[in-house]
Amino acid sequence: METATQSPPALSTLESFNPATGELVGSVATITPDQVQAVVDDVGRIQPAWAELDLATRARYMRRAADVLLDEIDEIADLLVNEQGKPRTEAYTMELLTTVDALHWIAKAGPKILAEEKVRMSQAFLISKKGRFTYEPIGVVGVIAPWNYPWTIPFGEVAIALMAGNGVVLKPASLTPLLGEAIRRVFEKAGLPEGLVRVVHGGGAVGDAVARSSVGKVFFTGSVEVGRKVGAVCAEALKGSVLELGGKDPAIVCADADLDNTISGIVWGGFANAGQTCSGIERVYVERPVADRFVEGVAREAQRLRLGDPREWETEIGPMTSEDQYEIVCELIEDAVASGAAKLCGGPTEVAGFSGKFVAPTVLTGVTHEMRIMKEEIFGPVLPIVVVDSEQEAIDLANDSEFGLGASVWTKDRHKGERIARRVESGMVWVNDHSFSHGACQCAWGGVKDSGVGRSHSKFGFYECVNIKTNAWEPGLARDFWWHPYDRTLGEAVRTSATLLYGKGAERTKALREGAGPLLKVGGRTLRKRRR
C-alpha cells in the first residue's frame, strides 16, 4: 500500500498538562488550518488500497488492534489519568474495556453488516430484475473529538470508519492531544498502513479546517454552538455529519422503584467522570411518596464518594479536566442557590497537595425549571432533584428541555418503565440503569433536538461511514413495458395491471375482462427490442 508523504512543517507545539497537578504531561506539534487539506489528501492517496482489502482481512486488523490495546492497556490507562484526570478505575471501566470489546464486535459484526445484501424484486412487473445493496467507503472521514472521553468516543468512530474501508483524519481536543496520538499508534502497531489514520492538532480553527476540507463525512462531539457550525459547513458542501452535542439527561424515579438500587445507579450516573459526561444525569424527577428517602440517600452516598488523586485506585471523583468548565459549574451552583435552591452537600473544594480544580459531588433540592441549572448543560458533578406529584408531571418536565440525548426511568414495573420510555424525547432511554449502552458498540448512540443528528456505533454507525448503493441487473430479454411509445393502449394496460395486482375480487375479474386486449398488445411490444 502507498505510504504517507512527509508531514507538513509544524507551526508550533501544543502542551498538555495534568489537570490534577498542573504538571506538563507532554507536547505535540500543531499545524495551521491551511495545512489540513494536504493531510486529507495524503490519507486519500492511501485509502483506496485499504478499501480494496476484503472485509475479513479488515476485521483481522481490528482484532490485531484489540491485541495491541490489551498489551498496552496499563500505559494508556496512565495517560488517561494524567492527561484527562479520570480516576484510574474509570479509565479501565469507562474507556479501555469498552474499546477492546468494541474492536471485537466491529470485527465480528462488521463483515455481516457491510456484506452485499440482496434486494428482492417482489413486484410482478419487475420479475426479471435482480438487485443488491453495496456498502462502499466514503473515502476519508473526519473525526473531531471531545476531551471528556478522549479515548473511547473517537476510538470507536475511527475503528468503524476503518472497518468500512475509509481513511481517517482525527482532530483530538486540545486538552487531550496525547491520547489522540495514542489512538493512531494502536492502529499502526496493529499493521494498518502508516498514514491511513492521521492526527492533526491545533485550536478550533484546525477543527473547522477539517470540516471544510474534502473529507467525505465529519463526526463531531462537542458543544451545540460549535456543532451547528460544523453541520452548516458540511451541509453547504453537501456532505454528511454526525453531531453529538451533549445532553441534559433526566432520571425519572417512580414511587415503586427499588430505592437502594436507584440511589446507587443515579449517584453513579450523575457523578461518574466528575459529571463530565454528555449522557450524565443532570436532572432528577422523583415521585413524592419516596422523595424524602430518595433525597436523603442520594445526599448520603454523594458525601461518601472519595475525592482526590486520580492515580489512586480508590478515588471516585477526580479534578475537572477544564478550568473553564470548572468556572461554569461553580457559576451554575451559585446561581441556583441564589435563586432559592438548597445545597445539601458539595461544591467547589480544594484537595491538599493538588493545584487542580475540584468540585465535590453536589446535591441540590428546591430547584425549578426557571433556574439556569435546569436549562443549561452543567457538565459537572451536580444533581438537581425535583419532587413531582405524578408520572405525567415527571414526563412533562423531562421533555421540557432543548436537549434529548439520554434518559432513565427507575421502576420495578417493566411495563410502566417501557411505557414512560416511549414518551420521553431522547435518543436513548434506559430502565433501571443509565448510559451503559455507550459501552456496548452494538447499540446506537445519538440524540434528538439540540443533542444532535445521526448515530454512532451499531449498524447505523456503519451506515454513516459508507455510501449505500443500489446495484440492479436486467438480462435484457425483453424491453420494459413502460418505455416509449406512449399511447392509450399502454395507459389502459397499466391501469388494468394495477387493478389485477392490487384490487379485490370482482374488481380483478372486471379489469381482466375489459383490459385483456391492451395487456396482450403491450405484452407483444415488450418482446420487440426496438420501437416500431
Side-chain angles (χ1 to χ4, degrees):
M1 294 186 181
E2 189 175 350
T3 57
T5 60
Q6 184 69 30
S7 297
L11 174 69
S12 62
T13 57
L14 172 65
E15 294 182 326
S16 176
F17 295 94
N18 184 316
T21 66
E23 297 171 341
L24 178 67
V25 181
S27 62
V28 296
T30 63
I31 64 174
T32 58
D34 60 358
Q35 293 172 321
V36 168
Q37 183 60 55
V39 176
V40 176
D41 291 341
D42 282 353
V43 176
R45 281 187 282 271
I46 298 167
Q47 177 269 336
W50 170 254
E52 286 297 316
L53 298 179
D54 60 44
L55 290 165
T57 301
R58 285 184 230 151
R60 283 196 292 273
Y61 280 105
M62 296 300 109
R63 292 189 180 94
R64 290 178 191 172
D67 292 339
V68 172
L69 181 49
L70 280 173
D71 289 341
E72 300 186 359
I73 195 166
D74 292 332
E75 291 83 354
I76 297 170
D78 286 341
L79 185 56
L80 274 162
V81 170
N82 290 326
E83 187 171 44
Q84 197 266 345
K86 197 178 300 289
R88 183 171 298 279
T89 299
E90 288 186 352
Y92 288 95
T93 60
M94 303 180 77
E95 301 253 22
L96 295 171
L97 168 63
T98 58
T99 45
V100 174
D101 181 76
L103 284 166
H104 280 279
W105 179 81
I106 289 165
K108 181 179 180 180
K112 300 174 184 177
I113 293 170
L114 297 173
E116 290 189 359
E117 182 180 346
K118 289 183 179 179
V119 181
R120 184 168 176 263
M121 304 292 183
S122 59
Q123 299 90 335
F125 52 87
L126 301 177
I127 194 169
S128 66
K129 305 182 189 302
K130 306 293 182 183
R132 68 187 189 278
F133 295 138
T134 57
Y135 303 99
E136 301 180 353
I138 290 172
V140 181
V141 171
V143 175
I144 304 174
W147 51 259
N148 61 324
Y149 287 87
W151 183 262
T152 187
I153 289 177
F155 199 106
E157 293 168 352
V158 170
I160 286 179
L162 291 170
M163 183 65 215
N166 301 289
V168 178
V169 174
L170 168 62
K171 162 63 175 69
S174 294
L175 290 172
T176 53
L178 301 177
L179 286 160
E181 291 292 340
I183 290 172
R184 173 188 58 79
R185 287 196 299 271
V186 166
F187 286 110
E188 290 184 357
K189 289 182 178 180
L192 278 75
E194 183 179 349
L196 185 65
V197 178
R198 292 285 297 276
V199 182
V200 294
H201 299 286
V206 170
D208 180 70
V210 170
R212 294 181 184 278
S213 74
S214 61
V215 296
K217 191 123 188 192
V218 175
F219 284 76
F220 171 83
T221 306
S223 70
V224 175
E225 179 184 7
V226 177
R228 288 186 190 278
K229 294 176 182 177
V230 170
V233 166
C234 292
E236 182 67 26
L238 295 180
K239 63 186 177 188
S241 60
V242 176
L243 310 174
E244 203 265 79
L245 309 181
K248 189 75 181 167
D249 283 17
I252 295 174
V253 181
C254 298
D256 66 346
D258 180 330
L259 279 191
D260 287 339
N261 186 66
T262 299
I263 289 166
S264 294
I266 287 180
V267 166
W268 179 85
F271 299 133
N273 198 36
Q276 299 167 120
T277 302
C278 298
S279 63
I281 298 174
E282 294 205 356
R283 298 176 289 149
V284 181
Y285 304 102
V286 56
E287 289 196 284
R288 192 171 299 279
V290 295
D292 290 344
R293 284 183 293 152
F294 174 80
V295 170
E296 186 276 329
V298 169
R300 179 188 67 244
E301 295 304 314
Q303 292 175 84
R304 293 179 63 183
L305 293 176
R306 294 183 288 256
L307 185 78
D309 185 353
R311 294 170 297 185
E312 299 297 330
W313 289 103
E314 295 80 11
T315 296
E316 292 159 325
I317 305 293
M320 299 294 293
T321 306
S322 161
E323 187 169 341
D324 289 342
Q325 189 60 41
Y326 167 84
E327 297 295 341
I328 291 172
V329 173
C330 293
E331 181 182 331
L332 288 172
I333 294 172
E334 291 172 2
D335 179 80
V337 172
S339 300
K343 184 176 72 171
L344 303 187
C345 61
T349 188
E350 294 184 358
V351 175
F354 293 89
S355 61
K357 300 296 185 180
F358 291 81
V359 177
T362 305
V363 178
L364 300 175
T365 57
V367 293
T368 68
H369 268 231
E370 287 67 43
M371 296 179 186
R372 288 177 56 200
I373 204 160
M374 295 299 281
K375 297 179 180 296
E376 301 175 22
E377 190 173 21
I378 305 170
F379 223 61
V382 184
L383 270 179
I385 300 174
V386 176
V387 179
V388 297
D389 290 313
S390 68
E391 172 188 312
Q392 184 62 52
E393 183 184 3
I395 294 170
D396 290 342
L397 291 172
N399 290 337
D400 182 23
S401 174
E402 295 176 352
F403 293 99
L405 186 58
S408 56
V409 182
W410 302 79
T411 173
K412 293 177 184 176
D413 186 334
R414 179 175 177 177
H415 176 73
K416 178 198 289 187
E418 293 178 346
R419 183 185 71 242
I420 295 173
R422 285 192 293 271
R423 299 182 60 196
V424 175
E425 299 165 354
S426 64
M428 293 85 59
V429 184
W430 306 277
V431 179
N432 296 325
D433 208 330
H434 198 92
S435 195
F436 78 92
S437 61
H438 192 271
C441 204
Q442 66 269 33
C443 297
W445 188 267
V448 299
K449 300 192 282 191
D450 279 4
S451 287
V453 295
R455 294 295 182 267
S456 61
H457 296 187
S458 77
K459 65 181 181 180
F460 302 108
F462 274 111
Y463 295 156
E464 296 280 8
C465 290
V466 294
N467 293 317
I468 302 173
K469 180 184 287 185
T470 297
N471 288 280
W473 183 79
E474 158 62 53
L477 300 177
R479 65 199 302 271
D480 289 332
F481 70 82
W482 55 84
W483 291 358
H484 302 125
Y486 297 161
D487 57 17
R488 183 184 183 91
T489 298
L490 175 59
E492 291 179 348
V494 171
R495 182 179 62 194
T496 298
S497 297
T499 304
L500 288 174
L501 291 170
Y502 306 111
K504 299 178 181 178
E507 295 174 346
R508 292 182 173 181
T509 303
K510 180 180 178 183
L512 182 60
R513 183 174 62 250
E514 295 178 353
L519 281 173
L520 290 172
K521 289 180 182 179
V522 171
R525 286 182 191 175
T526 63
L527 299 177
R528 299 193 295 268
K529 296 296 182 71
R530 58 179 183 165
R531 174 174 179 163
R532 292 182 183 176

